[in-house]
Every structure is written in structure tokens, then in C-alpha cells.
Amino acid sequence: MPDRGGGPSGPRMRVGRPSRRARTLLMTLGVLAVLAMLFIMFAGFWTDWLWFRSVKYSSVFTTTLWTKIGLFAVFGLLMAGAVGFNIWLAHRLRPPLSAMSMEQQSLDRYRMSVAPYKKWLLLGISVLVGLIAGASAAGQWKTWLMYVNGVPFGQKDPEFHLDVSFYTFDLPWYRFLLGFGFAAVVLSVIAAAVVHYLYGGLRVTSPGARATAAATGHLSVLLGLFVTLKAIAYWLDRYGLAVKSSDFKAADNWTGLRYVDANAYLPAKTILVAIAAICALLFFATLWRRTWQLPVIGFGLMVLSAILIGGLYPAIVQKFQVQPNEQAKESPYVEKNIKATRDAYGIDGTDVKDYSGIPDPKADKNQLRQAAGTNASIRLLDPNIVSPAFQQLQQVKGYYAFPSTLAVDRYSGQDTVIGLRELNIGGIPKNNWINDHFRYTHGYGVVAAKGTTATDQGAPDFTQSDLPSKGMFGTDFEQRIYYGEQTKQYSIVGGPQKELDYSDDKGEKETSYKGGSGVNLDNPVNRAAYALTFSEPQILYSGAIGDGSRILYNRTPKQRVEAVAPWLTIDGAPYPAVVDGRIKWIVDAYTTTNGYPYASRTTLGQSTADSLTNSQRAVVAQENQVNYIRNSVKATVDAYDGTVDLYQWDTQDPVLKTWMKAFPGTVKPKSEISKPLMDHMRYPQDLFKVQRELLTRYHVTDPQTFLSGSEAWAVPDDPTTKVGTAVPPYYLSMKMPEQKEKDQVFSLTTTFTPNGRDNLSAFMAVNADPGTPDYGKIRILKLPTSRPVDGPKQVQSKFNSEPKIAESIRLLRGGDSEVEYGNLLSVPLADGMLYVEPVYVRSSGLKYPLLRKVLVTYGGQTAFEDTLEKALNVVFGAEAPTTPVPPTTQPPGEGTTTPPVSQDPTVKAALADAQKAVEDAEKARQAGDWAAFGKAQEEIKAALKRAIDAEAKLTAPKPAGQ
């Protein structure tokens, strides 16, 4: 019959071998495929190396790389050797003849199929487990570097009296070694058992002995090693109690020993060490006894002991000894936890003072009004609300944008709100590859406004504005912004394709990047590597790339600092400053650990979250749990050339010293921070938020009070929003009661409320100005519990419920306008609390809010006026003194006051000079002559100093007899 498939009906034709040409083609394609895969793997490595070299931190790349390679090789070989050796040994110890049974006959087929490939299987299994173990070990590069470079803390834990460095640097490495040992032994046991079973050394259903003497000896040694490691684990667990987290009603994430740990778990672990050691010896003894009876009994006793001694006994102690008298039993351990936590978070020096919170009703109104103008520079410009105003008034072009939350800094002695006009890729008129990556490459200019005043229309009072930017900083500084918070796409600059610099009435201005940052694309290897890295083949062949072309990426300040210092945790709020003719991003960075004994842990993401936190402002590594933190590094990133500089800020931090040993030369000494740059350093927000979260409980130092929870506080929700998240801390120049500095100090402030209630518990401020002796000093004003004082939420509620204010707000909302409440600022003043809140109105036809009203309350009196001055006058029932004598931290302007004028001619003349200088300063400000403005400022200070000196001479006590 003919073949149904249509083929030949005769004998089947033999298929011939492929021709030489086909074989050559296949071989060529195979080689090319392998080379392509290798190049893809190489591209990531090569681009990383080029980037680190471009930022001059190649030592970070090489140190990290060689550490990973070393750990991968050492532990990969150890694991491969351990498993491979035990497979080989099990095969070597196989019985010469297998038993005649159905089980062994079934296994014969597997033995026969495996026999030709035994060596390859041994090699393959060893390589596989070695690769897995090596990759796991390479991930421990930070643990290894901290272990070999660890610096002593100079502090010992209260239980074992070991240096803290043992827990932070040594114990994590020991635990890794222990885990690696367990993995190696378990895999070896499994592999050896499989080989013994396959070759008849172990039998499941065959008659006679279940294991040969050789198999018994081999496996017993491995199990003895496992139990030996368990004994070591029990020993390390003793020290682990000092850094163990547990549930404790006194505090979340409690860390350290409690009564049951010290009196039940600790002795139990010690007993289990001895039992495990004896059990291990019994396993090793089977080499001579050739029986599993004793080691199995010993292992069973060890498991039973672990249940009874390590589990049941501590539960009994907790139930019948601790719970009936918990405060007395736990107090010594709570005291240790309080001390360690306060040390670990840098809050041990917190100065807590009692504060009335209720002003004296007999206080002089004129003095109160005067103090209201001099105790604080009330910031009316809310950096979280005015960004749309910056955007609308100063964006200039759609391809520029400002961040949603602006920065607060100090310039010319006053609080200033500042933002950069960064590139907005979404606003480019026509998006294509050339425009997005070659033409539109950078932002341009700085915009700044006074923090304490607004224009008559309620808009920001700009001190630096327009394009190109001009004003208080002048124009002679590099205004191009190639690196910024919103600059996340790569750009290719410096080549034949010109970039758009900015445009004005005369047309577009073009430029070509002259900075030294970025990676050269002047050779095909680099271009091919980046074409793969960014999945953009046009990089490989585009004519827009030529001589001098450089690719810029990793362009946000946080990205760059985290990349060159991967051992740092980065603050969520970098901020710009104009320093020495450049725009610098200042980035706060932290060293952290979760191994500080007895110090309670906190989750960074939870502690630093507030009503302003978003994806841009979130702290890096926010899910990390830590129990030690230091603002050890201040970093800067140049907005034009991307230069990253790391400065040692905390010179005592042992964690930073450890990393500086591991990466020598990467962190510069603090002495290299220039004076102009130092003037713009400040206390970081995220550290402050972590500390305030801990201080809700750890402001208490008495263990009994701590355990009772009666003094626990809470961070209040932001009353100006409806999202129910914590109120953010606010930067503010102010004077705290009894502070050493006589003048206002740039500070970071927050409030506390009692747990579960809305009245005010305390006010907290930290000196945020590094130029003062008390920088970093935390001060807390603790209000009495017997007389409730309104907290932020209650103040906001009273604002909203006051009939006249409510009516005014209703009128402001007329015509579909929106009312937005600005930051509710709290200022201690003469035993009371002064609350000030700017109120913005965004009309239906306007895209940005304007400052229209100011809410002020003090001592039960509330005012809702057009200006801060009027509101303060209403609240205090007194006018501000007429002669403006501004505090040294604030230039002349609204809100400045002076004491009554002396009749002494010298004093009067000095004050007259000061008044004239004030007028000259105001004229210079209106004219935009900032050089004259600065000169007038100096004249004001000099005149005031003459007046103060003259007044001091008049009031100084005269010697007896005169």
C-alpha cells in the first residue's frame, strides 16, 4: 500500500549530516549568542564602573566588588567542597554487594543510569550549591566589612559587660557563619543519605540491618556536627537576648532583656549548651559503638529539654513571678532600656523644663506685644502651600517646575523659602528622543522669597526671581541645574547637539555642557553598553552623539549620595543653597544599626511619616528597623556638575569610623566645610522626627512612671489637613525660655499631646543652627496635666467655630474660592503659647493661593486679621512700639519692635542712625539693589550696638563712693 504520509514507499531514507557550510553557520551563531549573553552581563558591570569613576568614587566600587567576589569565592568553595566531599565519601563507603531484595533491584536501574555520569553529577551538584551559597555570602558584604573594620564604642552593655561593638559588628557575622554552617551540614546530610540509599548503605524495606556500619558512622559524624552547631547557637542566643525584640506593653519594639529573660531564658540557654555538647559527643561516639541508640536518646532529651527548659519554664516564671508584681520585677530592666534608648538615639541630653502654658493675666500688655515681635520671626509663607504661587509667577516656561514642597533656609539673617526651577520633562512642547534627552537637559535659576512677609496682594515677596535669576544672590553664579530632585531621566550633553539653555523675549539661548560629570560616549563599547543599559538602541548609532558627548544619569541628590555611600541612610528632604557661586544640594545622611543592646527599635518609614511625606520626600531605606541613629555625614551635590562631597559631621560616631576604615578617603573631615556652606547647614528633619517619636515615651526616666504609661505622649495629627497623619515639624527662628543665646536661633519645632487626648502636653525645639554653641540641643517645655492647655487640633477647632471667623471664612469661600490653612506655628511666649496660622485663598480664576488673613490666638484671645501686625495688636490689646529695632537674626521689616527709647543723647543718636539705615534698606530692597541692602544691614547692626553699649553704661551699677 502506498504510504499515507505521501513519502516514498520504499525503504526509509537516511537523513544525511548537515553540510560543512551549515555546521559552520550553526557554530558561528552559537558563538555569537554566547558572546551576546556575555556582553549583556558585562554591560551592567562596565556602566557601573564608568559611573563610579566619573564621580571619583571608584574605590567604593572596587572595594565593594572585591569584597563580594572574595565572599562568593570563599563560601562558594566551602559549600561546594563540603557537599561534594560528602557525596564522594558516601560513594566511597558504599557496600561491595547489595542485598538481594526487591528494593535493591529497583535501585539497580537508577545506579546503572547514573554510573556513566557520576563525575559530572558530582561536579554539577557541587557547583550548583556552591553558586547558591556564594551568592548568599556575597550579599553579606556589609556585615563582613563592619566585622573586620569595627571600631569600639567605648560603652559596655549592662548584662554581659561587652563593648557595644560586639553586638553591632561581631554578632551579626557570627550568626551568618552559624547559618552557613547549618546549611552546609544539612545539605551534606541530605546528599550523603541519598547516595548511601542509592548504593545500599541505607535500607528502608530490605530485611536485615537498616544501615551499614560505614553509613552509620558517616551520618552520625554529620549529625554530631549539626548538634555541635546547635550548642554554639544556644551560646550565641545568650548574647542575642540583649538585642532581641519582644512585645511589651510598656513600649513598642522593646529590645533587651526583661526579668524572664535574665532569670529563665538565660540560664536555660546555658543548660542547653551543655546538653547539646553531650549529645554531640554521643553522635561522635557511634564511630566506635556502631549503634544509634545512645545518640537518638540524647537527641530526644535535648529536644525535650528545649521544650521544657527553654519554653515551659520561662512561661511559668512569667505567669507566676512577673505578672503578679510586674513593676517591681521589670523596673531594673526598664531602667537599662531607657538609658540605652536615650543614648542610642541621641536624646540623652534632652533638657525637660516645666512650663505653665497659661500666661499671667496681670502681665503688661505692652511688654507682651513687644515680646511677640521679638521672640520669633513668625514665618507666614508656608513652603508646603506656596509652591503653586512659585509655579505660576516664576515658572516662566512649561518645561520648568518647582517641587511641591519648598525648602526653608536662612539668607541675609532672615528665614527664606527657596526653590529651584528644575526641568519638567512632561512640559516639553513636543516629546521625542532628541528633545527629551539632548535638547531639554536642565533647569535654570533660583527663586527665593521672604518667609515672614508677603506682598500687599498676598503673593510671595520674592528676593530672588525672574529668568535669568536675579536678586539677593546677584547674577554671578552658576544657575544651570543639571542635577535635582525632579531630574530623573538621562541626558546626553556636550556633543554636536546644542541644548536649550533658556528663552526670553529675544528668543532661545543655547548652550553646550562644560561640566566634568557624566560618562564619555566617545567609543563604541561605551555606547553599546549604555544602549543595553537604557534599552535604547539609538544610543549606538545616533548622529546626535559625537566627540565630547557625555551621558548624565543618577541625577537626583539622594540617588548620587546613596550610590557613592551605600552604607548610609539618606534623609528624605535634600535642600538647595547658593554657596560660593554654585547651587549646592545639601543632603543629610545617617549611620544606623539595629544591634545596639537594650535600645528599643523603630521603623524609619513609620517614624518619619507625616502629612507632607510622599514618594519624593520619603526617607531612603524607610522599611529598615533601627535602634541607633546618628546624623554622621553631611553631603553636598553640585547642581551643575554633580560633584558629590561627603563630610564627617559626627566625629565621635563609631559606626561612621568603621565605614571610614572600610572605605578610606571617601569622607572628608569636618574642617573642610567652608564657612558659607556651614551657614546653610541645619538640623535634619528625619532625625528630628525619629527623636520626637521616641520622646513620646522616653522623656520619662523613672521606670515606674514609664511602666504605668501615665506620662506617655503622642505626636498630634496635622490639624490643617483631613488625612489624619502626623503634623510635620517646622523650621522657625525663635527664642526658647532660658536658652543661652540671647537672640533668635534657627530651630526645628514640634508639639506633643497626651496619648488619646487633644490638649497640649509639651513643646519641643532643637537648635538647628550649627553656628551656635548649643547646636543639636533638644529642649522640651512640659505643660502641667492639672490645667489643660489647648493643643493644635483644639486651636484649629476654635478657629473654625468662632462665629465671626467662621463668617469671614464663609465669605472668603464665596464664588467657588478655596481656603487653605497654612502651617499652624506654636511659639512659647511669657508662660503661654502663641499660635499663628496663615490663611490662603485660591480664587476660582487663580491657579495659586494668596495670603489673605492671619489667625492668632494667645491666652484665650483670638484674632483674624489681614496682617500679622494687626492680629497681634488685637490679641494683646496693644500697639507695637514705633521705633523698629530688628533682632540680629532678622532684617528690618514687618513684625520688628523695640523697647522704649532712652532719653540719653548717645542712645537717641544711635537709634536715629538705625532708623535711617532701616529706611535705606527698604529703599534698596524695593530698588533691587542688594549690595546697598547688605550695607544698610551692617549699618543697622552697628547703630544698634552703639545704642546697647551706651544704655549699658548708663544702667551699670556704680562703685561704692561714687
Side-chain angles (χ1 to χ4, degrees):
M1 291 180 64
D3 185 73
R4 293 174 182 266
S9 57
R12 183 174 296 178
M13 298 181 63
R14 197 172 75 180
V15 179
R17 295 177 62 191
S19 65
R20 179 177 296 178
R21 179 179 297 176
R23 293 198 304 271
T24 303
L25 179 60
L26 290 172
M27 187 177 295
T28 302
L29 290 175
V31 171
L32 289 175
V34 172
L35 290 176
M37 292 177 62
L38 290 175
F39 187 78
I40 291 172
M41 296 170 62
F42 166 78
F45 162 81
W46 184 242
T47 53
D48 284 347
W49 161 248
L50 291 174
W51 187 86
F52 275 95
R53 190 176 65 174
S54 73
V55 293
K56 299 179 175 59
Y57 282 89
S58 55
S59 63
V60 174
F61 179 82
T62 54
T63 299
T64 305
L65 177 65
W66 286 115
T67 302
K68 289 179 178 179
I69 290 174
L71 292 171
F72 179 89
V74 170
F75 287 94
L77 288 173
L78 285 174
M79 182 65 77
V83 175
F85 172 76
N86 281 284
I87 291 175
W88 172 84
L89 184 60
H91 181 264
R92 182 72 179 269
L93 297 175
R94 69 190 184 279
L97 296 173
S98 59
M100 297 302 294
S101 65
M102 293 298 295
E103 180 184 21
Q104 292 304 314
Q105 289 176 14
S106 299
L107 290 173
D108 281 342
R109 296 195 301 271
Y110 294 103
R111 286 194 288 266
M112 291 175 63
S113 61
V114 166
Y117 309 106
K118 287 189 294 186
K119 292 182 180 179
W120 290 109
L121 279 173
L122 173 61
L123 181 63
I125 293 172
S126 300
V127 169
L128 179 62
V129 297
L131 289 174
I132 295 172
S136 175
Q140 297 294 322
W141 65 272
K142 291 183 181 179
T143 307
W144 166 251
L145 287 176
M146 294 181 78
Y147 172 70
V148 296
N149 296 287
V151 173
F153 275 68
Q155 294 175 290
K156 295 184 177 181
D157 77 283
E159 182 65 35
F160 302 101
H161 308 292
L162 296 174
D163 191 272
V164 172
S165 60
F166 170 80
Y167 300 93
T168 56
F169 305 141
D170 299 346
L171 189 58
W173 180 249
Y174 296 152
R175 282 176 164 167
F176 164 72
L177 292 179
L178 190 64
F180 177 84
F182 274 122
V185 171
V186 168
L187 290 175
S188 296
V189 168
I190 295 172
V194 169
V195 174
H196 281 303
Y197 176 70
L198 185 63
Y199 285 94
L202 294 176
R203 306 181 185 98
V204 178
T205 61
S206 299
R210 298 298 184 189
T212 63
T216 299
H218 184 195
L219 293 176
S220 65
V221 170
L222 290 176
L223 291 173
L225 289 174
F226 179 87
V227 179
T228 301
L229 291 174
K230 190 62 181 174
I232 297 173
Y234 283 135
W235 183 257
L236 288 181
D237 285 346
R238 297 169 68 255
Y239 301 109
L241 292 172
V243 290
K244 177 181 69 73
S245 289
S246 60
D247 295 329
F248 191 27
K249 65 180 181 181
D252 297 331
N253 295 312
W254 171 276
T255 302
L257 284 82
R258 291 159 51 192
Y259 181 88
V260 69
D261 297 313
N263 295 277
Y265 281 111
L266 186 57
K269 296 292 184 183
T270 306
I271 294 171
L272 288 171
V273 170
I275 293 174
I278 294 171
C279 185
L281 291 175
L282 293 176
F283 273 105
F284 292 137
T286 57
L287 285 171
W288 297 277
R289 293 179 54 84
R290 305 295 184 181
T291 176
W292 291 87
Q293 185 176 6
L294 285 179
V296 168
I297 293 173
F299 188 79
L301 288 174
M302 186 183 76
V303 173
L304 184 62
S305 299
I307 296 172
L308 295 178
I309 303 175
L312 185 59
Y313 174 62
I316 292 172
V317 171
Q318 177 69 24
K319 178 70 174 178
F320 295 102
Q321 290 191 32
V322 177
Q323 289 185 6
N325 192 17
E326 186 174 42
Q327 288 203 347
K329 296 290 187 182
E330 300 287 16
S331 285
Y333 304 96
V334 170
E335 186 175 5
K336 295 174 185 178
N337 174 269
I338 291 173
K339 183 182 185 306
T341 303
R342 288 170 63 89
D343 288 343
Y345 290 93
I347 56 178
D348 51 314
T350 300
D351 183 17
V352 180
K353 302 277 189 185
D354 289 332
Y355 189 72
S356 169
I358 300 176
D360 183 358
K362 298 179 180 178
D364 184 88
K365 294 181 179 180
N366 292 312
Q367 291 182 355
L368 287 175
R369 178 62 186 89
Q370 175 186 322
T374 57
N375 274 26
S377 297
I378 304 296
R379 182 170 43 75
L380 298 178
L381 205 64
D382 187 343
N384 315 305
I385 287 183
V386 299
S387 180
F390 274 54
Q391 191 82 358
Q392 185 68 21
L393 300 174
Q394 291 296 321
Q395 179 187 22
V396 182
K397 298 293 181 181
Y399 45 82
Y400 294 131
F402 292 93
S404 58
T405 299
L406 303 174
V408 177
D409 203 346
R410 297 93 71 208
Y411 288 94
S412 299
Q414 70 173 349
D415 293 356
T416 300
V417 177
I418 184 171
L420 301 187
R421 192 183 287 111
E422 294 190 46
L423 178 66
N424 172 26
I425 198 73
I428 294 176
K430 184 178 181 181
N431 288 103
N432 55 54
W433 190 61
I434 293 296
N435 276 350
D436 291 354
H437 300 288
F438 291 82
R439 183 70 176 165
Y440 295 88
T441 60
H442 59 281
Y444 202 100
V446 181
V447 176
K450 290 182 179 180
T452 54
T453 61
T455 65
D456 292 340
Q457 292 76 33
D461 188 359
F462 292 112
T463 56
Q464 183 82 17
S465 58
D466 300 334
L467 185 70
S469 177
K470 59 180 179 291
M472 65 188 300
F473 306 138
T475 58
D476 189 21
F477 67 98
E478 181 54 70
Q479 299 193 29
R480 298 173 183 86
I481 302 156
Y482 282 86
Y483 296 88
E485 286 189 287
Q486 300 183 72
T487 315
K488 298 178 181 178
Q489 76 286 353
Y490 72 88
S491 291
I492 299 175
V493 299
Q497 175 67 52
K498 292 294 184 182
E499 308 163 48
L500 176 64
D501 206 9
Y502 65 91
S503 58
D504 56 19
D505 295 338
K506 298 179 181 179
E508 294 183 342
K509 310 293 183 182
E510 293 185 329
T511 188
S512 186
Y513 184 65
K514 297 297 190 297
S517 65
V519 178
N520 282 321
L521 296 177
D522 53 2
N523 66 72
V525 175
N526 288 4
R527 292 175 68 167
Y530 279 103
L532 279 172
T533 299
F534 290 109
S535 302
E536 182 49 72
Q538 293 187 78
I539 295 177
L540 189 59
Y541 55 78
S542 174
I545 301 175
D547 290 341
S549 290
R550 308 176 72 86
I551 185 167
L552 312 181
Y553 62 103
N554 285 351
R555 298 172 71 181
T556 70
K558 289 194 289 186
Q559 281 180 324
R560 296 181 78 77
V561 175
E562 188 182 28
V564 302
W567 33 273
L568 290 174
T569 298
I570 312 303
D571 189 272
Y575 59 98
V578 179
V579 179
D580 297 326
R582 312 283 286 196
I583 300 172
K584 300 275 190 179
W585 287 99
I586 299 176
V587 184
D588 286 289
Y590 311 108
T591 47
T592 61
T593 179
N594 68 348
Y596 196 98
Y598 272 100
S600 290
R601 290 182 170 87
T602 186
T603 303
L604 291 180
Q606 295 175 0
S607 298
T608 58
D610 58 33
S611 61
L612 303 178
T613 306
N614 51 39
S615 58
Q616 179 177 301
R617 298 196 65 192
V619 64
V620 172
Q622 60 177 331
E623 296 306 317
N624 280 9
Q625 270 209 338
V626 304
N627 68 352
Y628 172 93
I629 187 169
R630 289 290 185 272
N631 178 212
S632 53
V633 171
K634 298 281 189 180
T636 62
V637 177
D638 192 290
Y640 180 70
D641 63 21
T643 299
V644 181
D645 290 312
L646 306 176
Y647 297 100
Q648 182 184 14
W649 188 251
D650 189 332
T651 57
Q652 304 301 316
D653 178 28
V655 181
L656 177 60
K657 290 178 181 179
T658 295
W659 287 118
M660 289 175 68
K661 280 181 64 180
F663 296 97
T666 57
V667 181
K668 299 180 179 180
K670 188 175 182 178
S671 58
E672 291 192 20
I673 301 177
S674 67
K675 176 62 168 62
L677 178 59
M678 182 68 79
D679 289 342
H680 295 284
M681 297 294 186
R682 68 187 192 188
Y683 201 82
Q685 292 187 52
D686 283 336
L687 175 60
F688 183 78
K689 287 189 278 188
V690 169
Q691 289 174 326
R692 77 170 178 179
E693 178 66 30
L694 268 297
L695 282 167
T696 58
R697 291 161 287 142
Y698 286 94
H699 66 280
V700 175
T701 56
D702 176 62
Q704 298 288 336
T705 307
F706 187 91
L707 281 167
S708 71
S710 60
E711 293 289 335
W713 298 338
V715 177
D717 290 339
D718 189 345
T720 65
T721 67
K722 297 180 180 179
V723 293
T725 51
V727 63
Y730 296 121
Y731 286 106
L732 189 68
S733 290
M734 57 170 291
K735 288 192 291 187
M736 283 284 283
E738 301 180 14
Q739 74 177 35
K740 293 181 180 179
E741 294 83 8
K742 296 182 179 179
D743 301 317
Q744 296 175 12
V745 173
F746 193 62
S747 305
L748 192 54
T749 66
T750 192
T751 53
F752 295 108
T753 57
N755 222 348
R757 290 183 291 161
D758 293 326
N759 56 287
L760 192 65
S761 281
F763 176 84
M764 172 180 168
V766 64
N767 184 331
D769 186 355
T772 56
D774 270 356
Y775 170 77
K777 178 71 174 180
I778 299 175
R779 295 181 173 90
I780 291 180
L781 301 180
K782 182 182 175 184
L783 280 73
T785 56
S786 57
R787 293 183 298 171
V789 177
D790 287 345
K793 186 175 181 179
Q794 292 172 323
V795 169
Q796 187 70 48
S797 297
K798 289 185 177 180
F799 280 158
N800 297 338
S801 60
E802 183 78 24
K804 292 183 179 179
I805 295 177
E807 178 62 20
S808 299
I809 294 293
R810 189 186 66 78
L811 293 174
L812 290 174
R813 286 198 174 105
D816 295 328
S817 295
E818 296 181 12
V819 172
E820 297 181 33
Y821 294 102
N823 37 221
L824 179 59
L825 301 177
S826 311
V827 180
L829 177 67
D831 292 329
M833 292 299 297
L834 175 68
Y835 287 97
V836 179
E837 183 177 58
V839 178
Y840 294 82
V841 176
R842 189 195 303 255
S843 63
S844 56
L846 201 63
K847 296 182 179 179
Y848 60 94
L850 295 174
L851 178 64
R852 289 305 190 195
K853 293 284 186 178
V854 179
L855 282 161
V856 175
T857 185
Y858 180 82
Q861 299 296 317
T862 301
F864 187 59
E865 300 294 335
D866 294 338
T867 67
L868 175 63
E869 289 297 299
K870 290 180 181 178
L872 291 174
N873 291 344
V874 170
V875 164
F876 294 104
E879 298 286 333
T882 56
T883 305
V885 182
T888 57
T889 58
Q890 179 180 341
E894 184 178 3
T896 57
T897 60
T898 185
V901 179
S902 170
Q903 297 303 312
D904 180 75
T906 305
V907 175
K908 292 178 68 176
L911 292 178
D913 291 341
Q915 178 63 37
K916 183 178 182 303
V918 167
E919 295 169 358
D920 292 342
E922 182 60 20
K923 291 178 182 178
R925 186 190 68 81
Q926 293 176 357
D929 187 348
W930 300 104
F933 181 82
K935 182 180 179 182
Q937 292 273 27
E938 296 301 321
E939 291 175 354
I940 292 171
K941 292 179 181 178
L944 290 176
K945 188 175 185 306
R946 291 199 306 273
I948 292 170
D949 292 344
E951 187 71 22
K953 289 180 180 179
L954 290 172
T955 58
K958 297 181 179 180
Q962 293 187 8

